[in-house]
Amino acid sequence: MSEALERAGLRVDPELGRFIEQDVLPGLEMTAPPFWAGLADILTRFTPENRELLAERDRIQGAVDAWHTERRGQKIVWPEYSEMLRRIGYLAPEPAQVRVGSMNVDDEVATMAGPQLVVPALNARFLLNAVNARWGSLYDALYGTDALPGKAKPGAYDAGRGAQVIARAKSFLDEAVPLASGRHADVTGWRVIDGALEPALKNSSAFVGYRGDPASPSALLFRHNGLGVEFAIDHGHPVGAGDPSGLADVVLESALTTIVDLEDSIAAVDGPDKAAAYANWLGVMRGDLVATFDKAGHVVTRTLEKDRAWLTPQGAPFEVSGRALLFVRNVGHLMTTPAVRLPDGSECPEGILDTVITSLIGLYDLRGISRFRNSRAGSIYIVKPKMHGPEEANFANRLFGAVEDMLNLKRHTLKLGLMDEERRTSANLAACISEVRDRLVFVNTGFLDRTGDEIHTSMEAGAMVRKTEMRTSQWIKAYEDRNVRIGLACGLSGKGQIGKGMWAAPDRMADMIDQKIGHPRAGASTAWVPSPTAATLHAMHYHMVDVFEVQSALAREAPPVLEQLLTIPLHHGANWSAEAIREELDNNAQGILGYVVRWVDQGIGCSKVPDIHDVGLMEDRATLRISSQHIANWLYHRICTEAEVDAALLRMAAKVDAQNAADPSYRPLLKDPRNNFAFMAARALVFEGRSQPNGYTEPLLHGFRAKAKLIVSG
């Protein structure tokens, strides 16, 4: 290992240092000494407070634990419980009316509603796919998934499946861009005459652009509920040739925004890992990211999509973005990283480092020296996860301000997306929003992390219900409803996104279409999807539901009361059978092992992981947190024994080994489980789960991954 670089009293990993000094700073015409001095100053100012906030988490958790321990076996009475939470500082005073004041927010975030992707920053191919998912073929999405009954015959184009797809797509068009009379299935051709479309639309203003000859256009562009719908017209195309109007495809504006993730979906445990992740963020900010890979025996090179050129109905040229607008998700306040060490030799807070470097890289976009523009409004969008309460939100706000000063940016250039995924943030959401109100552009729920914190916070209160029951618990509905209604009450609509969580099953699109319409109906202006294809299918929901109309109605409703949110999901004397307990343990153990084997052994933080029923689910650390905390809770309250947990881990190790048998890089768990870092990590997550800070998985995972990397590197 190369010696660390000495920079402004800091010890910087050589790979990270070279990346900053050779790849980032020269293009910005910045020199290294002032940058490192600025970073050192921010670390000096904010690291002690970062540590104090983490100590405050521990103090509050200790007080909650003590209260439950003293009253073990007693019914929790709301007035007593809420009084305790206020007394210890868990519940902050409700602020007076809060109004979000964020300015210079792009339309994709403020005034448009549509799908959102989350993509691991370490995978350049996936990242490019996600950035380029702004526009997606509806025909392809319907043809190649289970969105429609049946499936295409293998081999060449299946005309029968194609007819099924076309019929469904045109039915959708009849709803999204209806004709003044008749149906899209009956259209025999299109013309643009004196700025008007023939055949005419029910809403003539929905027609916004065309390409080609106005008498026989090659493409048409429509807008409905703020989203683009493109007709690709090609009589020579295999599909278009069989269509009366020559319609070869329907292309939907799909992923309006994409979150480039440095947190839960990646495994970045050291300087080289962080440098690689930052390098991909640099690539999309400069617009020059390239991924080359083999696909079916052919070398494929992927780059960022260009903007899409159109003519207005009157013939004037204009462009629409060809790419999703990008956020970057930094890590939270908990973790430190050896990528940069402080003068005393300790690791620097990773979240502080992320804020400085991702903002620095964002200057390429702000200064217009990138190939493509990300934010046309002049903002850098940073998602901040896993904050606990308003004091931590205030810390993030001041940290962002200090970075703006360091980089000579106007105040509130750095926009903040607030993940509402910790119990103390949910309970104090308005107060948290108040602390970041002039840079807030996003509130989003995170069911899995939030459930993990629910379990950990109330570990001493008793045994929790099974995970399937957890999804229908009173607090869950209150949590989701409060997030939307408090966001609306604070004036977030028209200023930023109100989001909902991930659909985890990328191969179950029919179920997604059936269920995920609930998100826009609940007032969410965006929701997470697992793939570009899913983004295109989910985009249909935003044509079916006018989200801003829904938000206007919901804004008049009061949020659920705090008691509903803080009702602990205890089992209340359920007498589960041995079979039910085994089933729950197996489900949790399989989820833990299936994810951990890739994280620890291969450094893959997000991938399609088969569940216990062999259904592929897009998993990140949040799944791990809820599963490990759930077993830890049952162990602690003697619902199960250590021997039963170990037996479940071994049973599921065999299943996970079988599920990964075709992967040549896979290290079998059962070959030597007691010396297998992935298996050891899984056990530690369970048996040490109760003592982990807020039930987080990162400290243990990072430790085992670092050990695995050392062995690989020799």
Side-chain angles (χ1 to χ4, degrees):
M1 184 177 295
S2 304
E3 288 292 319
L5 305 176
E6 300 287 340
R7 298 290 188 269
L10 306 172
R11 295 176 60 208
V12 181
D13 176 271
E15 286 196 35
L16 177 63
R18 283 192 291 270
F19 165 72
I20 295 293
E21 295 178 357
Q22 297 177 16
D23 296 340
V24 180
L25 296 177
L28 297 170
E29 298 182 346
M30 296 172 65
T31 56
F35 169 77
W36 294 116
L39 174 61
D41 176 65
I42 285 176
L43 287 169
T44 298
R45 291 160 54 195
F46 285 91
T47 296
E49 189 176 353
N50 198 140
R51 293 168 177 167
E52 289 168 6
L53 289 169
L54 298 179
E56 179 68 359
R57 291 185 190 179
D58 294 341
R59 182 194 68 78
I60 289 176
Q61 184 62 60
V64 172
D65 288 345
W67 191 87
H68 285 304
T69 301
E70 290 167 6
R71 291 157 178 79
R72 186 155 291 155
Q74 299 179 30
K75 183 180 179 181
I76 296 173
V77 180
W78 172 247
E80 295 176 2
Y81 182 53
S82 60
E83 190 280 329
M84 178 273 295
L85 294 178
R86 287 188 173 86
R87 176 170 45 80
I88 68 172
Y90 190 101
L91 289 177
E94 274 295 305
Q97 188 178 27
V98 179
R99 301 303 294 175
V100 172
S102 303
M103 305 292 287
N104 302 319
V105 183
D106 288 89
D107 289 343
E108 291 93 333
V109 178
T111 61
M112 299 173 72
Q116 187 167 68
L117 286 166
V118 184
V119 62
L122 279 170
N123 191 311
R125 178 182 176 182
F126 289 0
L127 175 52
L128 285 164
N129 288 347
V131 179
N132 291 340
R134 178 68 172 259
W135 298 88
S137 166
L138 180 60
Y139 279 14
D140 286 351
L142 293 171
Y143 185 91
T145 69
D146 71 343
L148 297 176
K151 58 182 180 181
K153 297 174 183 176
Y157 176 66
D158 180 350
R161 179 67 168 180
Q164 186 186 18
V165 166
I166 292 166
R168 176 66 184 90
K170 291 193 175 183
S171 174
F172 162 75
L173 295 176
D174 288 335
E175 298 175 5
V177 283
L179 300 171
S181 64
R183 304 177 305 147
H184 280 274
D186 302 324
V187 175
T188 58
W190 297 95
R191 294 189 302 169
V192 181
I193 302 176
D194 297 329
L197 185 67
E198 290 188 4
L201 302 179
K202 185 176 182 178
N203 175 12
S204 61
S205 65
F207 170 53
V208 296
Y210 72 96
R211 283 197 289 265
D213 182 352
S216 181
S218 60
L220 300 170
L221 181 65
F222 307 92
R223 286 216 168 269
H224 177 249
N225 286 354
L227 294 176
V229 178
E230 178 181 330
F231 289 8
I233 303 168
D234 184 354
H235 290 276
H237 188 275
V239 175
D243 188 276
S245 70
L247 186 64
D249 201 356
V250 175
V251 181
L252 300 186
E253 193 167 18
S254 301
L256 295 180
T257 55
T258 285
I259 298 172
V260 182
D261 192 22
L262 295 169
E263 199 226 3
D264 269 2
S265 70
I266 69 168
V269 303
D270 55 26
D273 289 344
K274 295 297 291 186
Y278 293 145
N280 284 342
W281 175 240
L282 175 64
V284 291
M285 285 294 97
R286 284 195 315 211
D288 59 3
L289 185 65
V290 177
T292 303
F293 52 93
D294 182 88
K295 188 174 183 179
H298 300 282
V299 176
V300 177
T301 298
R302 191 152 292 159
T303 59
L304 291 171
E305 290 285 345
K306 298 178 181 178
D307 290 335
R308 302 166 84 88
W310 293 95
L311 298 172
T312 68
Q314 292 72 35
F318 73 101
E319 291 185 337
V320 298
S321 179
R323 302 161 307 284
L325 183 131
L326 301 181
F327 290 71
V328 61
R329 183 162 68 172
N330 292 179
V331 306
H333 298 325
L334 173 67
M335 293 302 293
T336 60
T337 175
V340 175
R341 291 187 180 274
L342 304 176
D344 65 0
S346 62
E347 298 180 355
C348 84
E350 189 175 3
I352 297 176
L353 184 68
D354 275 357
T355 305
V356 173
I357 295 183
T358 58
S359 300
L360 172 73
I361 291 169
L363 294 180
Y364 277 90
D365 183 55
L366 292 190
R367 294 182 180 181
I369 51 177
S370 56
R371 187 180 175 202
F372 304 112
R373 292 306 301 265
N374 184 51
S375 172
R376 290 170 172 81
S379 292
I380 297 172
Y381 298 96
I382 300 174
V383 176
K384 196 65 184 176
K386 296 183 173 60
M387 293 195 289
H388 294 248
E391 296 85 1
E392 296 194 11
N394 174 274
F395 174 81
N397 183 58
R398 288 183 289 108
L399 171 63
F400 280 29
V403 174
E404 287 164 342
D405 293 342
M406 172 188 169
L407 300 177
N408 295 313
L409 298 174
K410 292 180 181 178
R411 187 64 77 239
H412 307 133
T413 298
L414 304 183
K415 301 300 194 291
L416 187 144
L418 175 67
M419 293 297 301
D420 175 9
E421 57 188 350
E422 305 298 327
R423 196 172 187 259
R424 189 149 57 99
T425 291
S426 300
N428 301 284
L429 184 57
C432 292
I433 290 174
S434 180
E435 297 293 348
V436 295
R437 59 187 179 274
D438 291 325
R439 63 171 82 249
L440 184 72
V441 291
F442 169 116
V443 292
N444 200 327
T445 55
F447 161 74
L448 293 175
D449 266 305
R450 179 63 179 79
T451 304
D453 194 41
E454 184 74 24
I455 297 170
H456 189 86
T457 299
S458 305
M459 184 70 70
E460 296 289 345
M464 301 289 166
V465 299
R466 296 182 69 176
K467 285 198 311 186
T468 52
E469 295 176 63
M470 192 75 74
R471 290 184 176 274
T472 58
S473 296
Q474 182 183 49
W475 76 265
I476 286 279
K477 186 175 187 327
Y479 163 61
E480 296 286 354
D481 289 350
R482 280 173 60 89
N483 180 273
V484 173
R485 284 157 179 79
I486 291 173
L488 293 174
C490 294
L492 188 55
S493 184
K495 296 282 189 180
Q497 296 175 324
I498 296 176
K500 294 296 181 186
M502 180 66 75
W503 178 265
D507 299 327
R508 294 193 167 185
M509 293 293 96
D511 289 343
M512 187 196 78
I513 290 171
D514 182 56
Q515 297 176 41
K516 206 167 176 68
I517 193 171
H519 285 158
R521 285 174 175 168
S525 59
T526 193
W528 291 358
V529 287
S531 68
T533 296
T536 297
L537 293 171
H538 184 42
M540 297 170 70
H541 292 144
Y542 297 90
H543 291 279
M544 299 163 69
V545 179
D546 185 335
V547 172
F548 294 101
E549 191 174 278
V550 172
Q551 289 184 345
S552 181
L554 291 176
R556 297 189 289 271
E557 298 182 7
V561 297
L562 202 54
E563 183 178 358
Q564 293 175 337
L565 176 74
L566 298 180
T567 298
I568 303 169
L570 301 174
H571 76 79
H572 296 301
N575 188 19
W576 293 300
S577 67
E579 181 182 356
I581 293 169
R582 173 175 167 139
E583 182 183 73
E584 191 74 12
L585 291 177
D586 282 357
N587 186 290
N588 279 320
Q590 191 277 339
I592 294 169
L593 288 165
Y595 180 75
V596 164
V597 290
R598 298 183 183 183
W599 211 102
V600 171
D601 289 339
Q602 300 180 39
I604 298 173
C606 181
S607 61
K608 190 165 69 172
V609 178
D611 71 359
I612 197 167
H613 305 296
D614 299 314
V615 175
L617 301 178
M618 295 302 293
E619 303 282 25
D620 67 10
R621 282 200 300 261
T623 301
L624 197 62
R625 187 179 181 193
I626 183 177
S627 297
S628 59
Q629 286 300 298
H630 196 266
I631 298 181
N633 175 265
W634 276 22
L635 262 175
Y636 184 58
H637 292 285
R638 300 191 175 114
I639 304 298
C640 59
T641 66
E642 291 190 13
E644 287 173 324
V645 173
D646 271 326
L649 286 167
L650 289 170
R651 282 194 302 274
M652 294 303 102
K655 183 167 185 67
V656 171
D657 281 351
Q659 289 173 326
N660 289 276
D663 182 357
S665 59
Y666 179 74
R667 294 183 63 225
L669 292 162
L670 286 182
K671 187 175 181 180
D672 186 10
R674 299 298 176 181
N675 291 303
N676 183 293
F677 286 136
F679 190 84
M680 293 162 66
R683 285 194 85 254
L685 287 163
V686 171
F687 289 105
E688 299 175 34
R690 195 166 66 89
S691 64
Q692 294 305 296
N694 304 108
Y696 289 128
T697 61
E698 292 95 310
L700 287 170
L701 282 178
H702 278 231
F704 282 105
R705 173 62 184 159
K707 291 176 181 177
K709 287 189 73 174
L710 278 175
I711 289 178
V712 171
S713 63

